[in-house]
Amino acid sequence: MSLDQRDYWDGEAERFDDEPDHGLGEPTTREAWRALLASQLPEPPSDVVDLGCGTGTLSLLLAEAGHRVRGLDLAPRMIERARTKATEAGLEVEFVVGDAAAPAYPLGSADVVLCRHVLWALPDPATALARWAALLRPGGRLLLVEGRWHTGAGLTAADTERLAATVGADVRVLPMTDDVYWGGPITDERYLVCARVN
């Protein structure tokens, strides 16, 4: 990602959690995300990498559940907020500044790679997915929360499913149309793609 993108997301850091699906401040929204992720992850503890973690909300949710979590984001202010939230919650999560398209983690060091609303914005999603798959141990899982937005940007579920099939097997698409995930009604396509890597 570019410096312009980093600067943009730095500027969004202070108000990022105001969105219901970012901050998960509403208990029912938080519980919906917790249950969704728990249904797709191995039993804790597992090693999870959260790419494009923003202010770390999903990272912290998974750490609360007993997973060992590493979060990465391009924007330093997002990472600062994530670290502050982890300290306040008494949770140990390793948050670092880095490029989600080319994360500098050891190969084969994760059981799960989670990425929410990032893949669609990358210039070369196929290459990024190959790099993410290489971070996984055999049988590891890619969890991709994506969408095709009302603006016309984004990836359709079919597009993401095709991309995931190039690096994984047992690719499944779970529509996320319920208002509870987003804090209100949506008019665009939102979904989770899960793929296992052999």
Side-chain angles (χ1 to χ4, degrees), residues 32-41 58 61-62 114 143 145:
W33 279 94
R34 187 207 62 73
L36 175 71
L37 294 175
S39 73
Q40 301 303 312
L41 267 69
L58 294 185
L61 202 61
L62 295 177
L114 169 67
L143 297 181
V145 179

Side-chain angles (χ1 to χ4, degrees), residues 41 72 79 119 121 141 158:
L41 267 69
L72 176 149
I79 291 298
L119 185 66
R141 304 172 195 191

Side-chain angles (χ1 to χ4, degrees), residues 4-198:
D4 287 344
Q5 289 169 310
R6 185 195 67 188
D7 291 345
Y8 172 80
W9 289 112
D10 261 350
E12 292 291 305
E14 287 304 313
R15 58 184 170 272
F16 189 75
D17 284 348
D18 293 346
E19 292 295 323
D21 60 312
H22 291 170
L24 305 186
E26 171 61 42
T28 55
T29 300
R30 184 179 184 81
E31 174 56 23
W33 279 94
R34 187 207 62 73
L36 175 71
L37 294 175
S39 73
Q40 301 303 312
L41 267 69
E43 288 295 314
S46 66
D47 293 306
V48 181
V49 172
D50 182 5
L51 299 175
C53 66
T55 61
T57 303
L58 294 185
S59 296
L60 298 177
L61 202 61
L62 295 177
E64 285 173 2
H67 297 284
R68 295 179 294 266
V69 185
R70 292 170 283 171
L72 176 149
D73 199 275
L74 183 71
R77 288 187 185 157
M78 291 283 191
I79 291 298
E80 286 173 18
R81 296 265 298 130
R83 289 174 177 158
T84 298
K85 287 163 63 174
T87 299
E88 290 172 352
L91 294 168
E92 288 189 28
V93 178
E94 176 191 305
F95 287 112
V96 297
V97 176
D99 184 355
Y105 291 122
L107 303 183
S109 67
D111 301 303
V112 177
V113 170
L114 169 67
C115 194
R116 179 172 66 164
H117 299 163
V118 173
L119 185 66
W120 73 273
L122 299 179
D124 187 351
T127 297
L129 273 176
R131 288 176 176 151
W132 300 350
L135 299 178
L136 293 168
R137 299 181 179 113
R141 304 172 195 191
L142 283 172
L143 297 181
L144 309 170
V145 179
E146 287 295 334
R148 175 74 172 174
W149 320 123
H150 66 278
T151 60
L155 293 167
T156 66
D159 289 338
T160 303
E161 185 177 14
R162 274 193 299 276
L163 283 165
T166 66
V167 296
D170 186 28
V171 180
R172 291 173 290 123
V173 178
L174 287 75
M176 296 179 64
T177 54
D178 195 317
D179 299 359
V180 70
Y181 295 116
W182 315 110
I186 58 168
T187 58
D188 44 23
E189 182 183 24
R190 303 189 194 189
Y191 54 89
L192 168 68
V193 168
C194 179
R196 289 183 185 267
V197 175
N198 298 324

